[in-house]
């Protein structure tokens, strides 16, 4: 009987200790939960503040990019008025011997410099040059080529490059995308409905990059397409029609570019690639013996 009473007593004590421990742990867990909730609330507020700051900085960057583009366009206009834009390019072009441009060089140039249309079988609704804006009615210089395409029409990269700018907007150019290509060339796409790439992506010629739309200051669904060289707007038309069959025409139709220097750089790249390929072949032949 005494043994049974002792066992019951010990059991009561152990049960009490366990209950005390569990209550203590529960209180500790509640304190931890409150601490975590406080931290979560603090981190969430900080995240909200950082998100707002990111949005503000992106907006400021977008406005600065637009201002820089406007300054570049005005400088371009001033150069045209003063007759400065084509002098250096014409001097270099006169010394360019197109017979020295090999097939490999032509393929590289057509791959790395915008060539061909960004949309398939599309009608041109407005070309490069002065025109009356269809929405504002103001006569301005149109620095690109407009394609009359329905919303959702796929847009493809005209050359290899890196996506430099992705700018969602319901003003001006609307949803805007710019690709940085080799040798100082860039291409841009305005009034988009949706992006298929993100900033920093590397794209190859022919890759899907976006879908056309009617965003921004636009009178209807279309794609506004621009080609630039070191920030200076060029007439996209010669680049859109540029291919292997009419390769040499680009040097005459697009002035103000040091084509001789550019072709020299392409020649160096092709020579290095051929040299590396030869070295790999020689190494493979040595290891197979």
């Amino acid at each position: 009987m005494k043994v049974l009473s002792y066992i019951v007593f010990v059991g009561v004590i152990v049960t009490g200790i366990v209950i005390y421990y569990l209550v203590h742990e529960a209180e500790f867990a509640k304190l931890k939960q409150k601490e975590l909730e406080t931290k979560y609330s603090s981190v969430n507020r900080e995240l909200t503040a950082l998100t707002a700051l990111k949005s503000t900085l992106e907006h400021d960057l977008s406005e600065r990019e637009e201002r820089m583009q406007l300054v570049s366009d005005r400088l371009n206009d001033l150069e045209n008025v003063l007759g400065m834009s084509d002098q250096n390019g014409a001097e270099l072009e006169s010394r360019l011997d197109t017979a020295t441009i090999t097939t490999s060089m032509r393929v590289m140039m057509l791959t790395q410099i915008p060539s061909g249309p960004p949309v398939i079988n599309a009608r041109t609704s407005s070309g490069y040059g002065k025109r009356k804006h269809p929405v504002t009615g103001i006569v301005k210089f149109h620095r690109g080529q407009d394609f009359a395409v329905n919303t959702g029409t796929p847009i493809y990269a005209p050359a290899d490059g890196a996506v430099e700018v992705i700018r969602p907007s319901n003003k001006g150019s609307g949803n805007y995308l710019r690709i940085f290509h080799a040798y100082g060339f860039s291409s841009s796409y305005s009034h988009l409905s949706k992006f298929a790439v993100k900033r920093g992506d590397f794209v190859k010629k022919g890759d899907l990059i976006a879908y056309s739309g009617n965003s921004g200051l636009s009178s209807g669904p279309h794609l506004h397409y621009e080609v630039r060289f070191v920030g200076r707007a060029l007439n996209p038309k010669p680049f859109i029609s540029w291919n292997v069959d009419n390769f040499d025409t680009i040097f005459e139709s697009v002035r103000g570019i040091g084509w001789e220097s550019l072709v020299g750089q392409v020649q160096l790249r092709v020579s290095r690639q051929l040299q590396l390929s030869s070295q790999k072949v020689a190494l493979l032949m040595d290891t197979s013996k």
Side-chain angles (χ1 to χ4, degrees):
M1 189 70 178
K2 287 183 179 181
V3 174
L4 181 61
S5 299
Y6 178 75
I7 291 171
V8 171
F9 177 74
V10 171
V12 170
I13 292 174
V14 171
T15 303
I17 292 171
V18 169
I19 291 172
Y20 174 79
Y21 175 77
L22 291 174
V23 170
H24 177 74
E25 284 295 311
E27 291 295 328
F28 181 75
K30 285 181 181 179
L31 288 173
K32 277 290 183 184
Q33 183 180 1
K34 287 183 179 179
E35 184 181 341
L36 289 173
E37 285 176 352
T38 303
K39 285 184 178 179
Y40 172 78
S41 179
S42 175
V43 169
N44 195 41
R45 285 196 300 270
E46 187 177 350
L47 179 61
T48 302
L50 288 173
T51 302
L53 178 61
K54 176 176 177 285
S55 178
T56 301
L57 290 174
E58 285 179 343
H59 179 71
D60 290 344
L61 180 61
S62 174
E63 287 187 343
R64 289 187 181 187
E65 280 182 349
E66 288 180 357
R67 288 193 204 119
M68 287 176 65
Q69 198 75 73
L70 182 61
V71 169
S72 176
D73 290 341
R74 286 178 177 174
L75 284 173
N76 186 27
D77 291 341
L78 183 59
E79 286 179 350
N80 288 334
V81 169
L82 297 175
M84 296 168 56
S85 59
D86 293 344
Q87 289 178 2
N88 295 332
E91 183 182 346
L92 287 171
E93 286 157 13
S94 65
R95 300 199 300 265
L96 179 62
D97 182 7
T98 57
T100 62
I101 304 176
T102 64
T103 301
S104 298
M105 291 169 63
R106 292 170 188 249
V107 170
M108 179 174 283
M109 289 179 68
L110 287 168
T111 302
Q112 298 187 348
I113 300 173
S115 63
V119 285
I120 298 172
N121 298 328
R123 178 180 62 85
T124 298
S125 57
S126 184
Y128 181 87
K130 280 190 176 182
R131 64 155 194 183
K132 182 185 285 188
H133 195 281
V135 177
T136 64
I138 299 171
V139 176
K140 289 181 65 178
F141 198 93
H142 188 234
R143 302 185 186 279
Q145 183 163 327
D146 290 350
F147 292 96
V149 288
N150 295 326
T151 297
T153 299
I155 301 168
Y156 303 98
D160 298 351
V163 179
E164 185 181 14
V165 177
I166 292 284
R167 189 172 67 217
S169 176
N170 57 4
K171 300 177 181 178
S173 298
N175 295 328
Y176 174 86
L177 183 153
R178 185 168 70 231
I179 300 177
F180 181 73
H181 305 288
Y183 311 110
F185 289 91
S186 65
S187 60
S188 65
Y189 314 80
S190 301
H191 310 296
L192 306 173
S193 63
K194 190 167 62 172
F195 303 107
V197 291
K198 58 184 180 298
R199 186 176 182 272
D201 281 354
F202 290 94
V203 295
K204 303 290 288 181
K205 182 181 176 70
D207 283 353
L208 175 68
I209 56 172
Y211 296 90
S212 63
N214 190 31
S215 57
L217 189 63
S218 171
S219 60
H222 74 287
L223 170 66
H224 175 80
Y225 174 61
E226 291 188 12
V227 175
R228 290 179 178 256
F229 176 69
V230 291
R232 181 168 61 88
L234 303 173
N235 187 347
K237 189 176 181 180
F239 293 92
I240 291 168
S241 60
W242 190 31
N243 55 45
V244 175
D245 296 330
N246 63 1
F247 184 84
D248 297 348
T249 59
I250 198 77
F251 306 120
E252 289 296 327
S253 56
V254 181
R255 299 283 180 170
I257 296 174
W259 288 114
E260 186 189 39
S261 176
L262 193 157
V263 169
Q265 289 299 314
V266 173
Q267 189 173 26
L268 281 175
R269 285 194 180 188
V270 171
S271 298
R272 286 170 187 161
Q273 287 181 358
L274 290 173
Q275 187 177 4
L276 287 172
S277 298
S278 299
Q279 289 174 353
K280 286 180 181 179
V281 170
L283 183 63
L284 287 171
M285 290 179 67
D286 287 342
T287 55
S288 64
K289 289 179 181 179

